[in-house]
Amino acid sequence: MGERALGDRADRWWSATADLLLGASCPGCRQPWWGACPSCRGHVLAQPTRLTAPTPAPPGFPMTATASTYDAVHRGLLHAHKEDQALMLTPLLGDRLAASVADLLAAREVPPHEPIVLVPMPSAAAAVRERGFDATAALAGRAARTLAGQRLVRSAGLLAQRRGLADQAELDAAQRAANLRGGLRLRSGVDSLRWRPDGPAVVVVDDLVTTGASLTEAVRCLTAAGYEVLGAATVSATVRMLSGY
Ligand SMILES: [Zn+2]
């Protein structure tokens, strides 16, 4: 990477940061505030965690817990976190992801002494370069640190996107499924890391579940590589909630 590319990236990062500082509005409701305002924070924290599934669910869709419906407040917060590098939102949203993971582990009756690895859904390498940070990996890291007081849990980016994946945001449900089938792979060098398939069971984590295609593909990829996948957990879900299971 040349100096110019680094400079451009730094400019964009500083520009985004300056917008947040100078524009200073809550991304959830647009009221003047720095970060999530008390009202939006209270709204986010009041949401019950629960199991969820898209309708229809793709074949192989894992048991999935979520911490909210994808309402306007969550849409604003998650978008600001991912697209505008609103890093001050990572603790709030990461703790909601932690609550979602805890709900999944309770539903699966995973004993507290069993170690767990959180695997963030990978972003396209180009998108991470563009944004300057990996929002989903940041949420996974925060969730792991929050849960670490209760059980042995770490986050590890085991997955990577294959080249040539289209940006999911532009696609409908059927196109997403086709785009993603076989679209993920184990990150190169994973076998030499501590997180081998015969190690701890894994939970796939993401900020949002919509059609379920991404989570299903992640589970397929990890299962094929020999990992025990307990399910998935997200901050938000666009789909109808299921209460009980
Ligand atoms: Zn607000």
Side-chain angles (χ1 to χ4, degrees):
M1 184 179 296
E3 251 175 58
R4 168 170 298 192
L6 277 172
D8 286 350
R9 194 169 68 176
D11 284 349
R12 277 198 299 273
W13 194 88
W14 282 115
S15 155
T17 305
D19 280 348
L20 287 165
L21 291 172
L22 301 173
S25 67
C26 167
C29 65
R30 300 293 159 198
Q31 298 302 306
W33 198 266
W34 192 67
C37 75
S39 167
C40 288
R41 180 175 293 269
H43 169 77
V44 167
L45 293 173
Q47 304 301 307
T49 58
R50 61 187 95 180
L51 299 176
T52 183
T55 310
F61 182 76
M63 182 185 280
T64 298
T66 193
S68 68
T69 49
Y70 192 50
D71 57 23
V73 170
H74 286 86
R75 185 160 57 244
L77 295 176
L78 287 171
H79 185 274
H81 185 248
K82 179 176 264 182
E83 306 297 337
D84 303 330
Q85 301 100 34
L87 304 182
M88 82 285 272
L89 299 177
T90 304
L92 174 66
L93 298 174
D95 285 355
R96 295 307 293 160
L97 182 60
S100 180
V101 170
D103 196 35
L104 176 81
L105 297 179
R108 294 296 306 258
E109 299 180 343
V110 180
H113 59 266
E114 189 175 320
I116 300 296
V117 175
L118 306 184
V119 178
M121 279 299 300
S123 306
V128 170
R129 277 197 301 275
E130 173 82 14
R131 293 172 186 141
F133 110 113
D134 187 331
T136 312
L139 293 179
R142 169 69 187 201
R145 287 192 296 280
T146 297
L147 291 167
Q150 305 159 32
R151 58 165 65 241
L152 289 168
V153 56
R154 300 289 296 271
S155 69
L158 301 183
L159 295 172
Q161 287 192 359
R162 293 188 190 281
R163 287 174 187 276
L165 272 187
D167 188 339
Q168 289 291 100
E170 307 295 322
L171 306 177
D172 68 22
Q175 289 170 327
R176 282 185 185 210
N179 182 44
L180 275 168
R181 202 165 297 126
L184 300 180
R185 58 173 176 80
L186 280 194
R187 209 177 77 202
S188 47
V190 158
D191 283 352
S192 65
L193 302 176
R194 285 172 292 167
W195 316 112
R196 299 172 62 84
D198 54 0
V202 304
V203 174
V204 179
V205 297
D206 205 353
D207 53 356
L208 178 65
V209 53
T210 52
T211 65
S214 310
L215 294 179
T216 301
E217 168 59 14
V219 171
R220 185 206 62 75
C221 183
L222 289 164
T223 304
Y227 288 89
E228 180 192 352
V229 183
L230 295 167
T234 70
V235 177
S236 227
T238 59
V239 292
R240 191 162 49 88
M241 298 282 196
L242 299 179
S243 55
Y245 213 80

